Amino acid sequence: MHSTALMLAIAQIAVALAGFSAIIVALNNKPIRKWVLMDQVNIRLLIQLSIVVIFFSLIPSLLAISIPVSDVWLYSLWSYGLAHLADAAYFLFFKSKRAPTIFRVAAICGVIVGLAQVTIAWFGGDIARESMYVFTLIWHLGVIFMAFILLLYQMGDTEKATNNSGNTE
């Protein structure tokens, strides 16, 4: 397993992004259920995908303790692919109807990546499985980062709107 250090670094980045999202929630003066839909989707992506990335970054190392290394990437990628495919498809078909276009595009790409994960898990070799596994972790980090940036941008717009409505000089 050549990518153990990289996966631990990815997990640390996901923890940091989840922590920053908690700070954003704490600094916002409205409860989450009163946020606009885009902000609710952003915070869901930030927290949920951070947990997914942390969990799946640790799975191969934990599996390597109890099963042969030749099977680690098969089981890891197969389980990650199924979870990714189920989550992206669920979001695409049930949750993205009112979400901004960028989230629908990310969900469509997520379904494609999930299908690629499952396909490579069954038909690829260990190097292809490991590469796809790490690629998907990085893919999820990109989605988390996108949601984080959009959330910061939206919070900045909300503050400007609040300040402009309060400034009636």
Side-chain angles (χ1 to χ4, degrees):
M1 294 188 0
H2 302 294
S3 55
T4 304
L6 177 60
M7 288 188 297
L8 291 176
I10 290 170
Q12 291 172 348
I13 293 168
V15 168
L17 288 171
F20 284 128
S21 67
I23 291 170
I24 290 172
V25 171
L27 293 178
N28 196 328
N29 56 359
K30 293 191 303 188
I32 292 176
R33 65 183 170 276
K34 293 188 179 187
W35 290 11
V36 296
L37 177 65
M38 185 169 179
D39 293 342
Q40 289 176 350
V41 170
N42 278 335
I43 202 69
R44 173 202 173 259
L45 284 173
L46 276 166
I47 294 170
Q48 178 188 348
L49 291 181
S50 292
I51 292 168
V52 166
V53 167
I54 294 164
F55 178 77
F56 282 107
S57 291
L58 302 175
I59 287 295
S61 297
L62 295 174
L63 285 178
I65 295 170
S66 61
I67 65 173
V69 176
S70 60
D71 293 338
V72 167
W73 294 114
L74 170 67
Y75 296 133
S76 297
L77 186 59
W78 181 77
S79 60
Y80 191 12
L82 288 179
H84 185 190
L85 186 60
D87 181 53
Y90 176 79
F91 182 78
L92 181 63
F93 292 115
F94 298 111
K95 296 290 185 181
S96 72
K97 290 179 179 32
R98 297 179 322 197
T101 305
I102 191 165
F103 294 111
R104 287 191 298 276
V105 170
I108 291 168
C109 292
V111 168
I112 293 168
V113 171
L115 288 171
Q117 283 178 281
V118 173
T119 303
I120 291 173
W122 285 115
F123 300 113
D126 283 344
I127 294 173
R129 290 176 184 143
E130 183 176 2
S131 299
M132 186 65 192
Y133 197 88
V134 172
F135 166 78
T136 308
L137 288 171
I138 293 170
W139 158 265
H140 271 130
L141 271 184
V143 174
I144 295 167
F145 191 71
M146 174 196 71
F148 181 72
I149 295 299
L150 288 173
L151 188 62
L152 284 177
Y153 179 74
Q154 290 293 350
M155 292 300 159
D157 284 351
T158 303
E159 283 183 24
K160 286 179 187 174
T162 304
N163 290 339
N164 287 341
S165 67
N167 292 338
T168 55
E169 295 180 31

